[in-house]
Amino acid sequence: MSLPTPNLQESTHPVPSRKWPELLRHIPLVLYSLIIITPLSLVFFATFKDLSQLYTNPLGLPRSWDLANYSRLFANENMAVYFKNSMIVTFTSVFFILFFGSMISYAIIRMPKWTGAILFSFITLGMMIPTQVNMIPTYVFFAKLDLLNKHLGLIIVTVATLLPICVFILTGFMKTLPKGLIEAAMIDGASHWKIYTRLVLPLSGPALATAAIFCFVIAWNDLLYPLLFIKSAELKTLPLALLQFQGEYLTDYPMIFSGVVVASIPMVIIYTFLQKYFIAGMTAGSMKG
Amino acid sequence: MRKYWPLSFFILPGLLMYVIFFVFPAISALGLSLTDWNGITPERNFVGLANYKEMLTNDPIFAQAFGNNIKYMLFVVFFQTLFSLIFAMMLVKNSRLNVFYRALFFLPTIIASISVAFIWIFVYDPSIGSLNTFLTKLKLDFLIQSWLGDKNIAIYSIAVVQCWAHIGQVMVIFIAGLQSIPKSLYEVARIEGATPWQTFRHVTWPLLAPSATIVVAYTTLQSFKAFDLILAMTDGGPSYATEILSLFLYHQAFNHYKFGYASATAVIFMLIVASITLLQFKILRANKVSY
């Protein structure tokens, strides 16, 4: 609808915020920024303090930027091993989720409408099942298959759990690809495999990135399944190792926090560069049922 | 038909994985819930609905866990929705500074909940915790609490952390919703001389309904399914004040070896989650707006 509007000089989004004096708006925003930054920086500063310094001066800057806690962390704990374990489990899982998920999504958009809709519903129904419901039967089942205390078990359960959301994101995107393009390839005699690898996958870049980041964050941060499955120290992933620091180091905050920093740094670095995809990915994730 | 059969090659690997390792366990939870199995010895007896009866009529801890779930959920849904909506309205314009604020508010979402838990255990620490230290410095000593040790407030202390971690994420959903409202409607409101409140009440709010439904449903489910945060911060204590259903079923299974009983909890848990989801779809369908 278009009306003759006399006063159009401000056609940027005129949500009420426009009326608020600019400075007033920044008060709550700055306050909330502080609520985010303060705990994060206090934790970061704590990693450079020893315990007595932390107790006498919990809020201030550290006296010196001493890396003792980090060297203690890498010496006493196999931090490098946990890091490697997390990488193995996360990257392998994400690869297979995207591979299987994109193949299924391709099939869904190429199948007769109703068959595709049924398959789509059946798979995305999985988004309704909370992982806690599955934990006991999965544990029992994996014990039988001898998949407990193995990275393979973690990878399998991660792939199966995150496949629904990946199919949800990818099918939604692939449906919007121009039909004519795929039909033209068909007429040229291209096989499904060729259309999938040469045409649909390259065109689905943004959706693949979104799904990859979503699955990456979930898999990297997962605690429940490593907690259930992994018993050997040398197979622990980062979140599980952190949880077990709690018992080991009790109130040795500087030590625990060095672990927190080491586990979060890669995520924060990637986030600063790929923000757009993170936000798209984590939001697509929240749109699920 | 011939041209479709190669597609099964695309479907099978993922579908098999999903059915064997995800759908099958979910269904077998139902079977396990009808037994008295302890998870260790081979014998398991069929006990019918006895686990459900015991749980729903004769287990004060289950009742408390359920109550805690509700408290936690109401707190998180209310405050998370309110604050993320306010921030979304402040940050809806795509200016450089706003994009920076959005990115900063979103940051806690990507940090593992186990790390978030440790950060806040430190904030809440009764002796060196930043919160109590701040309160002392501001001469507000009377507000000092044992944030995680007091059984009346512990669950809310954790609920605050859940909000802290996810307000930025929910805000982004609201921003997307706000940006999809046609600008012409605001111009009409302006020409008609509507006050900011009237504009919000009659333009923004009704058109934001679909996003709001998604947000409320997502937040409800997310807070209902909370696990990592509470496990690491209090593990259900003090005296079950922060025990919630997911933690309850974990404890029943892996601390008390009551696999059958825990599976019954899982099934109830699942039913609640599924009904919230269905309710959400229903509301979403009834709320479809057209402009």
Coordinates of all heavy atoms in Angstrom, one line a residue, chain B residues 114-159:
Chain B
I114 N 29.3 -25.2 30.3 CA 30.1 -25.6 31.5 C 31.1 -24.4 31.9 O 31.3 -24.1 33.0 CB 30.9 -26.9 31.1 CG1 31.9 -27.3 32.2 CG2 31.7 -26.7 29.9 CD1 31.2 -27.9 33.4
S115 N 31.6 -23.7 30.8 CA 32.4 -22.5 31.1 C 31.6 -21.4 31.7 O 32.0 -20.7 32.7 CB 33.1 -22.0 29.9 OG 33.9 -23.0 29.3
V116 N 30.4 -21.2 31.2 CA 29.5 -20.2 31.7 C 29.2 -20.5 33.2 O 29.2 -19.6 34.1 CB 28.1 -20.1 31.0 CG1 27.1 -19.2 31.7 CG2 28.4 -19.6 29.5
A117 N 29.0 -21.8 33.5 CA 28.7 -22.2 34.9 C 29.9 -21.8 35.8 O 29.7 -21.2 36.8 CB 28.5 -23.7 35.0
F118 N 31.1 -22.0 35.4 CA 32.3 -21.7 36.2 C 32.4 -20.2 36.4 O 32.8 -19.7 37.5 CB 33.6 -22.3 35.6 CG 33.7 -23.7 35.8 CD1 34.2 -24.5 34.8 CD2 33.3 -24.4 36.9 CE1 34.3 -25.9 34.9 CE2 33.4 -25.7 37.1 CZ 33.9 -26.5 36.1
I119 N 32.2 -19.5 35.3 CA 32.3 -18.0 35.4 C 31.3 -17.5 36.5 O 31.7 -16.7 37.3 CB 31.9 -17.4 34.0 CG1 33.0 -17.7 33.0 CG2 31.8 -15.9 34.2 CD1 32.7 -17.4 31.6
W120 N 30.1 -18.0 36.5 CA 29.1 -17.5 37.4 C 29.3 -18.1 38.8 O 28.8 -17.5 39.8 CB 27.7 -17.7 36.9 CG 27.4 -16.6 35.9 CD1 27.8 -16.6 34.6 CD2 26.8 -15.4 36.2 NE1 27.4 -15.4 34.0 CE2 26.8 -14.6 35.0 CE3 26.2 -14.8 37.3 CZ2 26.3 -13.3 34.9 CZ3 25.7 -13.5 37.2 CH2 25.7 -12.8 36.0
I121 N 29.9 -19.3 38.9 CA 30.2 -19.8 40.3 C 31.1 -18.8 41.0 O 31.0 -18.5 42.1 CB 30.9 -21.2 40.2 CG1 29.8 -22.3 39.8 CG2 31.5 -21.6 41.5 CD1 30.4 -23.7 39.6
F122 N 32.0 -18.3 40.2 CA 33.0 -17.3 40.7 C 32.2 -16.0 41.1 O 32.5 -15.4 42.1 CB 34.0 -17.0 39.6 CG 35.1 -16.0 40.0 CD1 35.8 -16.2 41.2 CD2 35.3 -14.9 39.3 CE1 36.8 -15.3 41.5 CE2 36.3 -14.0 39.6 CZ 37.0 -14.2 40.8
V123 N 31.3 -15.5 40.2 CA 30.6 -14.3 40.5 C 29.8 -14.5 41.8 O 29.7 -13.6 42.6 CB 29.6 -14.0 39.3 CG1 28.7 -12.8 39.7 CG2 30.4 -13.6 38.1
Y124 N 29.2 -15.7 42.0 CA 28.3 -15.9 43.1 C 29.1 -16.3 44.4 O 28.5 -16.5 45.4 CB 27.3 -17.0 42.8 CG 26.2 -16.5 41.9 CD1 25.7 -17.4 40.9 CD2 25.6 -15.3 42.0 CE1 24.6 -17.0 40.1 CE2 24.6 -14.9 41.2 CZ 24.1 -15.8 40.2 OH 23.0 -15.4 39.4
D125 N 30.4 -16.6 44.3 CA 31.1 -17.1 45.4 C 30.9 -16.3 46.6 O 31.0 -15.0 46.6 CB 32.6 -17.1 45.1 CG 33.5 -17.8 46.1 OD1 33.6 -17.2 47.3 OD2 34.0 -18.9 45.9
P126 N 30.5 -16.9 47.8 CA 30.2 -16.1 48.9 C 31.3 -15.2 49.5 O 31.1 -14.1 50.0 CB 29.7 -17.1 50.0 CG 30.0 -18.4 49.4 CD 30.3 -18.3 48.0
S127 N 32.6 -15.7 49.4 CA 33.6 -14.9 50.0 C 34.4 -14.0 49.0 O 34.5 -12.8 49.3 CB 34.6 -15.8 50.8 OG 35.1 -16.8 49.9
I128 N 34.8 -14.5 47.9 CA 35.5 -13.6 46.9 C 34.7 -13.3 45.7 O 35.2 -12.7 44.7 CB 36.9 -14.3 46.5 CG1 36.6 -15.6 45.9 CG2 37.8 -14.3 47.6 CD1 37.8 -16.1 45.1
G129 N 33.4 -13.7 45.7 CA 32.6 -13.5 44.5 C 32.5 -12.1 44.1 O 32.3 -11.2 45.0
S130 N 32.5 -11.8 42.8 CA 32.4 -10.4 42.4 C 31.1 -9.7 42.9 O 31.1 -8.6 43.2 CB 32.5 -10.3 40.9 OG 33.0 -11.5 40.4
L131 N 30.0 -10.5 42.9 CA 28.7 -9.9 43.2 C 28.7 -9.4 44.6 O 28.4 -8.2 44.9 CB 27.6 -10.9 43.0 CG 26.2 -10.4 43.0 CD1 26.0 -9.3 42.1 CD2 25.2 -11.5 42.7
N132 N 29.1 -10.2 45.6 CA 29.1 -9.8 47.0 C 30.1 -8.7 47.2 O 29.9 -7.8 48.0 CB 29.3 -11.0 47.9 CG 28.1 -11.8 48.1 OD1 27.0 -11.4 47.7 ND2 28.2 -12.9 48.7
T133 N 31.3 -8.8 46.5 CA 32.3 -7.8 46.7 C 31.8 -6.4 46.2 O 32.0 -5.4 46.8 CB 33.6 -8.2 45.9 OG1 33.8 -9.6 46.1 CG2 34.8 -7.4 46.4
F134 N 31.1 -6.4 45.1 CA 30.5 -5.2 44.5 C 29.5 -4.6 45.5 O 29.6 -3.4 45.8 CB 29.8 -5.5 43.2 CG 30.5 -5.2 42.0 CD1 30.7 -6.2 41.0 CD2 31.1 -4.0 41.8 CE1 31.4 -5.9 39.8 CE2 31.8 -3.7 40.6 CZ 31.9 -4.7 39.7
L135 N 28.7 -5.5 46.0 CA 27.6 -5.0 46.9 C 28.3 -4.4 48.2 O 27.8 -3.4 48.7 CB 26.7 -6.2 47.3 CG 25.8 -6.7 46.2 CD1 25.1 -7.9 46.6 CD2 24.8 -5.6 45.8
T136 N 29.4 -5.0 48.7 CA 30.1 -4.4 49.8 C 30.6 -3.0 49.5 O 30.4 -2.1 50.2 CB 31.2 -5.3 50.2 OG1 30.8 -6.6 50.2 CG2 31.7 -4.9 51.6
K137 N 31.2 -2.9 48.3 CA 31.8 -1.6 47.8 C 30.7 -0.6 47.7 O 31.0 0.6 47.9 CB 32.6 -1.8 46.5 CG 33.8 -2.6 46.7 CD 34.9 -2.2 45.8 CE 36.3 -2.7 46.3 NZ 37.1 -3.4 45.3
L138 N 29.5 -1.0 47.3 CA 28.5 0.0 47.1 C 27.7 0.2 48.4 O 26.7 0.9 48.4 CB 27.5 -0.5 46.0 CG 28.0 -0.6 44.6 CD1 27.0 -1.3 43.7 CD2 28.4 0.7 44.0
K139 N 28.2 -0.3 49.5 CA 27.5 -0.2 50.8 C 26.1 -0.8 50.8 O 25.2 -0.2 51.4 CB 27.5 1.3 51.2 CG 28.8 2.0 51.3 CD 29.4 2.0 52.8 CE 30.7 2.6 52.9 NZ 31.8 1.8 52.3
L140 N 26.0 -1.8 50.0 CA 24.7 -2.5 50.0 C 24.8 -3.9 50.7 O 24.2 -4.8 50.2 CB 24.2 -2.7 48.6 CG 23.9 -1.4 47.8 CD1 23.7 -1.7 46.3 CD2 22.6 -0.7 48.3
D141 N 25.5 -3.9 51.8 CA 25.8 -5.2 52.5 C 24.5 -6.0 52.8 O 24.6 -7.2 52.8 CB 26.5 -4.9 53.8 CG 27.8 -4.2 53.5 OD1 27.8 -3.1 53.0 OD2 28.9 -4.8 53.9
F142 N 23.4 -5.3 53.0 CA 22.2 -6.1 53.4 C 21.7 -7.0 52.2 O 20.9 -7.9 52.4 CB 21.1 -5.1 53.8 CG 20.7 -4.1 52.7 CD1 19.6 -4.4 51.9 CD2 21.4 -2.9 52.5 CE1 19.2 -3.6 50.9 CE2 21.0 -2.1 51.5 CZ 19.9 -2.4 50.7
L143 N 22.2 -6.7 51.0 CA 21.8 -7.6 49.9 C 22.6 -8.8 49.7 O 22.3 -9.7 48.9 CB 21.8 -6.7 48.6 CG 20.7 -5.7 48.4 CD1 21.0 -4.9 47.1 CD2 19.4 -6.4 48.3
I144 N 23.7 -8.9 50.5 CA 24.6 -10.0 50.3 C 24.0 -11.3 50.6 O 23.2 -11.5 51.6 CB 25.9 -9.8 51.2 CG1 26.7 -8.7 50.6 CG2 26.7 -11.1 51.4 CD1 28.0 -8.4 51.3
Q145 N 24.2 -12.3 49.7 CA 23.5 -13.6 49.9 C 24.5 -14.7 49.6 O 25.5 -14.5 49.0 CB 22.4 -13.8 48.8 CG 21.4 -12.7 48.7 CD 20.4 -12.8 49.9 OE1 20.3 -13.9 50.5 NE2 19.7 -11.7 50.2
S146 N 24.1 -15.9 50.1 CA 24.8 -17.1 49.6 C 24.1 -17.5 48.4 O 23.1 -18.3 48.5 CB 24.8 -18.1 50.7 OG 25.2 -19.3 50.1
W147 N 24.4 -17.0 47.2 CA 23.6 -17.0 46.0 C 23.2 -18.5 45.6 O 22.1 -18.7 45.1 CB 24.2 -16.3 44.9 CG 24.4 -14.8 45.2 CD1 25.5 -14.2 45.6 CD2 23.4 -13.8 45.2 NE1 25.3 -12.9 45.8 CE2 24.0 -12.6 45.6 CE3 22.0 -13.8 45.0 CZ2 23.3 -11.4 45.8 CZ3 21.3 -12.6 45.1 CH2 21.9 -11.4 45.5
L148 N 24.2 -19.3 45.7 CA 23.9 -20.7 45.3 C 23.7 -21.7 46.5 O 23.4 -22.8 46.3 CB 25.1 -21.2 44.4 CG 25.3 -20.5 43.1 CD1 26.6 -21.0 42.4 CD2 24.1 -20.8 42.2
G149 N 23.9 -21.1 47.7 CA 23.8 -22.0 48.9 C 22.5 -21.9 49.6 O 22.1 -22.7 50.4
D150 N 21.8 -20.8 49.3 CA 20.5 -20.6 49.9 C 19.4 -21.3 49.1 O 19.2 -21.0 48.0 CB 20.2 -19.1 50.0 CG 18.9 -18.8 50.7 OD1 18.0 -19.6 50.7 OD2 18.9 -17.7 51.3
K151 N 18.7 -22.2 49.8 CA 17.8 -23.0 49.0 C 16.5 -22.3 48.5 O 15.8 -22.8 47.6 CB 17.4 -24.3 49.7 CG 16.6 -24.2 51.0 CD 16.3 -25.6 51.5 CE 15.3 -25.7 52.6 NZ 15.4 -24.9 53.7
N152 N 16.3 -21.1 49.0 CA 15.2 -20.3 48.5 C 15.5 -19.5 47.2 O 14.7 -19.2 46.5 CB 14.7 -19.3 49.5 CG 14.1 -20.0 50.7 OD1 13.4 -21.0 50.6 ND2 14.5 -19.6 51.9
I153 N 16.8 -19.2 47.0 CA 17.1 -18.4 45.9 C 18.0 -19.1 44.8 O 18.2 -18.6 43.7 CB 17.8 -17.0 46.3 CG1 19.0 -17.3 47.1 CG2 16.8 -16.1 47.0 CD1 19.8 -16.0 47.5
A154 N 18.6 -20.2 45.2 CA 19.6 -20.8 44.3 C 19.0 -21.0 42.9 O 19.7 -20.7 41.9 CB 20.0 -22.2 44.8
I155 N 17.8 -21.5 42.8 CA 17.2 -21.8 41.4 C 17.1 -20.5 40.6 O 17.4 -20.5 39.4 CB 15.9 -22.5 41.5 CG1 15.4 -23.0 40.2 CG2 14.8 -21.6 42.1 CD1 15.7 -24.4 39.9
Y156 N 16.8 -19.4 41.3 CA 16.7 -18.1 40.5 C 18.1 -17.6 40.2 O 18.3 -17.0 39.1 CB 15.9 -17.1 41.3 CG 14.5 -17.6 41.7 CD1 14.2 -18.0 42.9 CD2 13.6 -17.7 40.6 CE1 12.9 -18.4 43.2 CE2 12.3 -18.1 40.9 CZ 12.0 -18.5 42.2 OH 10.7 -19.0 42.5
S157 N 19.1 -17.8 41.1 CA 20.4 -17.4 40.7 C 20.9 -18.1 39.4 O 21.5 -17.5 38.6 CB 21.4 -17.8 41.8 OG 21.0 -17.3 43.0
I158 N 20.5 -19.4 39.3 CA 20.9 -20.1 38.0 C 20.1 -19.6 36.9 O 20.6 -19.4 35.7 CB 20.8 -21.6 38.2 CG1 21.6 -22.0 39.4 CG2 21.3 -22.3 36.9 CD1 21.6 -23.5 39.7
A159 N 18.8 -19.3 37.1 CA 17.9 -18.8 36.0 C 18.5 -17.5 35.5 O 18.4 -17.2 34.3 CB 16.5 -18.6 36.6

